[in-house]
């Protein structure tokens, strides 16, 4: 410990308590912030805490985050609030930003949903210097974090712009259309079927059994897809082929599509819908797949979702969607090549901006480490 610094447990220098409300306490028109275990706060009509406090999610994916607020607010019953802080509150905030996720949440409980207990706070120790040095460290970190936040906001906007560039061009292709284009309901040019009702098996007993959860952003890892017992009689009806497009028809991924390319012997599960064009000789599969990424498609999917507890989109509604396409396969192929080229360029840009964002997050950690090691003298140490 540095000379002149003190060390105490968190419970000696602050009070730790939880909110008392459930999530239904939130009120859209409330006057006070309402902190839950989510990353963003809500509003409510009551206030229980005030002044400079730290707010920490007590369960779920955000355990380990630490938020600072100076004002009047209330909190969810699984949210921890650190108040009555006897050292500089923002100093403690920065200290916990550096250490809490790693040290304070080592012990977590629960199988379905992870959570922490009040005991997690009892062993958390805080080293701190005299008040003037706390103020100096906070001043430097405030300046540094403001600079990083500005750079991150710029990178995030650039990332958003890159994504919107491709989306706008894609939408324009299907909106402008042109000579030689036709409009037909999908059900007229394709066969649309629900998948096979069977349980997955992780023993090799039949064809691969593609489920909603197997379709990730980067595609399908067929090695991890389970098998199922599908009879020889049922296999032809549900077997996947190159050019098929499958859709999630329920839950959070409703409407998400995936173009099948060179699959192993496989069938698709009942919570998927398969679309297979009546004549593959008339269509480029990649062209059809691009249609299912347009704003036009997603607007209709979102408008057509039914069900209150868990949204869904059925085969009938999919078949009723109007599909715009050029009759010429050469025209379809030209469009696919143009979109492929633009997507490749925008993905390069996205990778650059995402790396910038990731690097800025790492820089925040580095700045915190240097500050508490006494290595950060001024904000000019920050190089973006």
């Amino acid at each position: 410990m540095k000379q002149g610094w003190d060390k105490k447990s968190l419970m000696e220098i602050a009070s730790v308590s939880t909110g008392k409300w459930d999530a239904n306490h939130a009120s859209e028109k409330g006057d006070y912030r309402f902190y839950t275990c989510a990353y963003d706060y809500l509003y409510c009509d009551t206030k229980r805490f005030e002044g400079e406090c730290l707010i920490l999610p007590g369960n779920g994916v955000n355990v380990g985050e630490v938020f600072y607020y100076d004002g009047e607010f209330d909190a969810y019953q699984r949210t921890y609030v650190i108040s009555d802080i006897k050292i500089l509150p923002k100093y403690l905030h920065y200290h916990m930003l550096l250490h809490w996720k790693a040290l304070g949440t080592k012990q977590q409980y629960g199988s379905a949903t992870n959570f922490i207990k009040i005991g997690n706070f009892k062993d958390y120790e805080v080293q701190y210097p005299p008040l003037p040095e706390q103020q100096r460290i906070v001043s430097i970190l405030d300046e540094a974090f403001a600079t990083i936040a500005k750079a991150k906001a710029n990178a995030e906007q650039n990332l958003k712009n890159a994504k919107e560039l491709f989306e706008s061009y894609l939408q324009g292709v299907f909106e402008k259309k042109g000579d030689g284009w036709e409009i037909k309901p999908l059900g007229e040019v394709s066969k649309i079927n629900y998948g096979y009702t069977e349980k997955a098996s992780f023993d090799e007993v039949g064809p691969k059994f593609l489920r909603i959860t197997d379709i990730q952003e980067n595609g399908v890892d067929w090695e991890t897809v389970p098998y199922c017992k599908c009879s020889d009689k049922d296999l032809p009806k549900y077997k996947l082929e190159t050019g098929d497009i499958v859709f999630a028809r329920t839950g959070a991924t409703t409407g998400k599509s995936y173009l099948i390319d060179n699959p192993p012997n496989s069938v698709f599960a009942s919570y998927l819908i398969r679309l297979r064009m009546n004549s593959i000789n008339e269509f480029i599969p990649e062209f059809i797949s691009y249609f299912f990424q347009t704003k036009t498609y997603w607007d209709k999917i979102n408008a057509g979702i039914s069900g209150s507890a868990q949204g869904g989109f059925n085969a009938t509604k999919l078949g009723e969607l109007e599909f715009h396409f050029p009759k010429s396969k050469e025209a379809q192929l030209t469009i696919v090549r143009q979109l492929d080229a633009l997507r490749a360029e925008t993905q390069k840009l996205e990778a650059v901006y995402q790396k910038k964002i990731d690097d800025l997050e790492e820089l925040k950690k580095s700045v915190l480490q240097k500050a508490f090691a006494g290595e950060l003298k001024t904000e000019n140490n920050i190089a973006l």
Side-chain angles (χ1 to χ4, degrees):
M1 188 169 65
K2 299 183 185 67
Q3 187 174 4
W5 286 45
D6 205 349
K7 179 194 284 188
K8 291 185 178 180
S9 72
L10 177 64
M11 307 295 275
E12 291 181 274
I13 59 171
S15 298
V16 181
S17 58
T18 63
K20 63 179 184 178
W21 306 106
D22 63 26
N24 294 326
H25 187 67
S27 172
E28 189 174 336
K29 296 182 180 180
D31 294 323
Y32 307 100
R33 290 188 182 186
F34 181 53
Y35 284 92
T36 66
C37 293
Y39 200 86
D40 297 316
Y41 57 82
L42 303 172
Y43 288 93
C44 67
D45 298 318
T46 61
K47 60 176 181 177
R48 185 180 171 207
F49 304 96
E50 62 180 343
E52 292 183 277
C53 297
L54 306 185
I55 302 100
L56 298 84
N59 67 8
V61 296
N62 292 320
V63 167
E65 299 291 344
V66 185
F67 304 102
Y68 166 89
Y69 183 56
D70 183 5
E72 300 172 321
F73 67 98
D74 216 328
Y76 169 66
Q77 58 194 1
R78 279 289 188 178
T79 299
Y80 290 91
V81 177
I82 300 176
S83 58
D84 302 321
I85 303 170
K86 297 178 178 62
I87 63 174
L88 197 64
K90 291 201 76 174
Y91 175 89
L92 180 60
H93 178 223
Y94 284 125
H95 189 282
M96 297 191 77
L97 281 179
L98 178 60
H99 298 296
W100 175 246
K101 186 169 286 187
L103 300 179
T105 63
K106 284 188 296 185
Q107 179 68 36
Q108 296 191 42
Y109 307 87
S111 54
T113 301
N114 61 306
F115 62 91
I116 56 174
K117 298 180 179 180
I118 195 73
N120 290 67
F121 296 88
K122 292 180 180 178
D123 296 329
Y124 187 85
E125 292 186 330
V126 182
Q127 293 186 26
Y128 59 93
L131 181 60
E133 180 63 9
Q134 292 178 45
Q135 292 171 327
R136 188 187 77 85
I137 290 173
V138 166
S139 176
I140 292 173
L141 289 173
D142 280 349
E143 291 272 359
F145 272 51
T147 301
I148 292 171
K150 184 177 179 180
K152 185 178 177 182
N154 288 336
E156 288 173 339
Q157 185 59 51
N158 288 334
L159 176 59
K160 183 171 181 270
N161 292 343
K163 291 180 177 178
E164 289 178 349
L165 171 66
F166 177 77
E167 291 167 1
S168 176
Y169 185 85
L170 174 63
Q171 181 65 20
V173 167
F174 286 91
E175 277 185 349
K176 293 175 184 176
K177 299 182 273 297
D179 295 336
W181 282 62
E182 288 192 359
I183 303 175
K184 290 185 179 181
L186 278 169
E188 189 177 320
V189 296
S190 66
K191 293 181 179 67
I192 300 172
N193 306 94
Y194 292 118
Y196 187 52
T197 303
E198 181 56 85
K199 291 182 179 179
S201 170
F202 290 89
D203 297 320
E204 189 170 353
V205 294
K208 290 283 187 174
F209 191 50
L210 185 68
R211 306 158 301 169
I212 290 176
T213 52
D214 298 314
I215 302 173
Q216 305 298 323
E217 289 300 321
N218 58 348
V220 172
D221 180 1
W222 288 102
E223 291 295 323
T224 64
V225 176
Y227 300 87
C228 76
K229 296 178 181 178
C230 183
S231 68
D232 292 340
K233 177 183 176 182
D234 289 329
L235 183 59
K237 182 178 178 181
Y238 299 104
K239 187 174 183 180
L240 290 169
E241 298 178 0
T242 294
D244 288 346
I245 299 176
V246 292
F247 301 80
R249 67 182 181 93
T250 188
T253 57
T254 296
K256 183 178 179 182
S257 63
Y258 176 68
L259 175 63
I260 301 296
D261 183 29
N262 195 28
N265 184 34
S266 55
V267 296
F268 61 108
S270 59
Y271 284 105
L272 292 170
I273 300 173
R274 179 186 63 191
L275 181 145
R276 176 177 291 171
M277 305 310 290
N278 290 336
S279 175
I280 201 67
N281 294 325
E282 295 180 16
F283 297 98
I284 303 294
E286 291 79 6
F287 176 83
I288 307 163
S289 181
Y290 272 126
F291 170 73
F292 295 119
Q293 299 171 46
T294 63
K295 182 177 181 298
T296 296
Y297 165 74
W298 278 107
D299 284 348
K300 292 185 177 180
I301 287 291
N302 292 329
I305 285 176
S306 59
S308 55
Q310 195 175 39
F313 191 77
N314 61 42
T316 300
K317 291 174 182 176
L318 183 62
E320 291 170 351
L321 282 180
E322 290 187 336
F323 175 46
H324 301 241
F325 61 96
K327 292 184 67 175
S328 165
K329 284 188 70 175
E330 282 300 317
Q332 294 177 30
L333 183 59
T334 298
I335 290 170
V336 167
R337 287 171 175 166
Q338 291 170 342
L339 289 170
D340 284 349
L342 180 58
R343 166 168 278 174
E345 290 303 313
T346 54
Q347 285 177 338
K348 288 179 184 177
L349 287 174
E350 289 172 18
V352 169
Y353 297 135
Q354 187 59 57
K355 185 176 186 307
K356 179 71 171 177
I357 292 168
D358 294 341
D359 288 347
L360 288 168
E361 284 299 313
E362 287 300 313
L363 180 59
K364 285 170 67 174
K365 296 176 186 177
S366 174
V367 169
L368 284 169
Q369 289 168 347
K370 289 182 178 179
F372 288 103
E375 300 173 5
L376 195 63
K377 304 303 180 184
T378 70
E379 64 274 13
N380 292 328
N381 285 257
I382 309 304
L384 300 179

